[in-house]
Amino acid sequence: MSGLIHSQKPSTSATLLLVANEVGQSKYPELEVEWFDYSIDKDQHGGIHNDTIIIGSDLPQDQYKLAFSSGLARSAKLASLENLLDGHLHKNREIPDLLLKGKKLPLGRHAIMKSLGELFSLRGHVNLHSELLDLPDFCWSSPKMEDAFSAISRNLDVRARIAIFNKKLDYANELAEVLRNHLHEEHSLKLEWAIIVLISVEIGFEVVHYWEKMKQQEEEALEEREMEERRLELVERSRLKKLEKALAAQNESEVEGAEKMT
């Protein structure tokens, strides 16, 4: 994002913005522009008066422009991050109401992890990977340039906006953490039910196996009883045959005895 001070020649500003967009890296989705009126007055000290940038005589013009444009670029970059965060919060604005009503959340694991990644990226851009919190290097070499940079930053409420941004980010992170915990609980519940189903299936197989085993034992016991009954029947038949033979022999002896007596 370019922080060039607005020029009196619109064509020059438009050309510079086009060049900056062509060579820019990690571009933001929307172009953010900070507009300020400025005046070059060699009879005054430089600064900001009534929302107008005064380029005075106590510093070379190029140094003043560098300091002020760096402050404008800082604000524009922060505005882009603010828009990204506001878009993220707007996208997830219905989640607290869904949680309050106990309804099912429309987000899956992939969407929640993507949301966490967006928030970590935003926090990193603000607190780690950008110049939003640190002073530019030129401020260490020129106190007056630092004063000019700080003046434009105060006018644009940069530090207050960063504090508000971090509070919004904390809220978004807490919401994402709640979603992740909820998703983890749902996943654990699904695993528990899967384990219960597997145990139930195993119990079912064991019941079927036990029933088949008992049925087999009953069939074997029935076969043994039938075999025992057949064996007893054969023994009884054999005993009856022997008894019949004994009776027949007894009858024959009685008949022979009777014949001898006659």
Side-chain angles (χ1 to χ4, degrees):
M1 179 64 65
S2 174
L4 297 173
I5 294 178
H6 173 61
S7 171
Q8 297 294 335
K9 298 178 180 180
S11 59
T12 303
S13 298
T15 302
L16 290 174
L17 286 175
L18 289 175
V19 173
N21 287 332
E22 290 178 358
V23 300
Q25 296 180 353
S26 302
K27 299 179 182 179
Y28 296 105
E30 297 181 2
L31 180 67
E32 292 292 335
V33 181
E34 295 285 356
W35 296 101
F36 265 81
D37 293 327
Y38 78 95
S39 173
I40 300 176
D41 190 346
K42 296 182 179 181
D43 296 330
Q44 297 187 40
H45 291 291
I48 298 179
H49 302 287
N50 297 325
D51 292 332
T52 300
I53 295 174
I54 304 298
I55 298 178
S57 59
D58 46 343
L59 268 180
Q61 289 188 20
D62 291 340
Q63 292 185 8
Y64 259 130
K65 290 181 178 181
L66 175 61
F68 285 127
S69 63
S70 296
L72 292 172
R74 185 191 193 192
S75 177
K77 183 181 291 186
L78 179 58
S80 295
L81 295 175
E82 288 171 336
N83 288 337
L84 290 175
L85 181 57
D86 289 340
H88 177 86
L89 293 174
H90 180 75
K91 182 173 60 178
N92 298 315
R93 68 189 185 280
E94 296 179 355
I95 292 177
D97 292 334
L98 294 176
L99 291 173
L100 180 63
K101 296 176 181 178
K103 294 184 178 179
K104 185 177 180 180
L105 297 177
L107 299 177
R109 184 179 185 83
H110 176 74
I112 292 176
M113 297 306 296
K114 182 179 178 181
S115 177
L116 286 172
E118 291 177 356
L119 296 176
F120 281 125
S121 177
L122 288 173
R123 188 180 290 276
H125 275 298
V126 173
N127 297 293
L128 297 176
H129 310 308
S130 67
E131 305 82 14
L132 294 177
L133 297 179
D134 299 329
L135 293 174
D137 292 338
F138 60 77
C139 293
W140 300 100
S141 60
S142 174
K144 290 186 178 180
M145 292 180 70
E146 179 180 355
D147 293 340
F149 178 82
S150 299
I152 190 69
S153 297
R154 285 193 302 271
N155 186 273
L156 295 170
D157 297 324
V158 172
R159 290 201 172 274
R161 287 161 60 192
I162 290 175
I164 294 173
F165 182 90
N166 280 323
K167 289 182 178 179
K168 289 183 177 180
L169 200 56
D170 289 337
Y171 166 76
N173 278 325
E174 290 176 1
L175 181 60
E177 191 66 26
V178 169
L179 292 177
R180 186 168 65 174
N181 292 335
H182 177 75
L183 187 63
H184 178 72
E185 290 176 359
E186 283 191 345
H187 183 65
S188 299
L189 184 62
K190 289 180 181 178
L191 288 178
E192 291 175 359
W193 275 109
I195 292 172
I196 291 172
V197 170
L198 290 176
I199 293 174
S200 301
V201 171
E202 185 177 358
I203 292 174
F205 279 122
E206 288 295 328
V207 170
V208 172
H209 178 69
Y210 178 76
W211 179 78
E212 291 178 348
K213 184 177 179 180
M214 293 299 295
K215 185 177 180 181
Q216 184 179 1
Q217 289 178 354
E218 290 179 357
E219 291 176 352
E220 291 176 354
L222 181 60
E223 289 179 359
E224 289 179 357
R225 286 197 300 269
E226 290 178 352
M227 291 177 64
E228 182 67 18
E229 289 177 356
R230 286 197 296 268
R231 187 183 66 82
L232 293 175
E233 184 178 356
L234 291 174
V235 171
E236 183 67 20
R237 287 179 180 178
S238 177
R239 189 181 66 81
L240 290 174
K241 285 181 179 181
K242 290 179 180 180
L243 183 60
E244 288 176 355
K245 287 180 179 181
L247 291 174
Q250 185 179 0
N251 289 333
E252 288 178 358
S253 62
E254 288 179 355
V255 170
E256 290 177 356
E259 289 178 351
K260 289 178 179 182
M261 289 178 67
T262 57

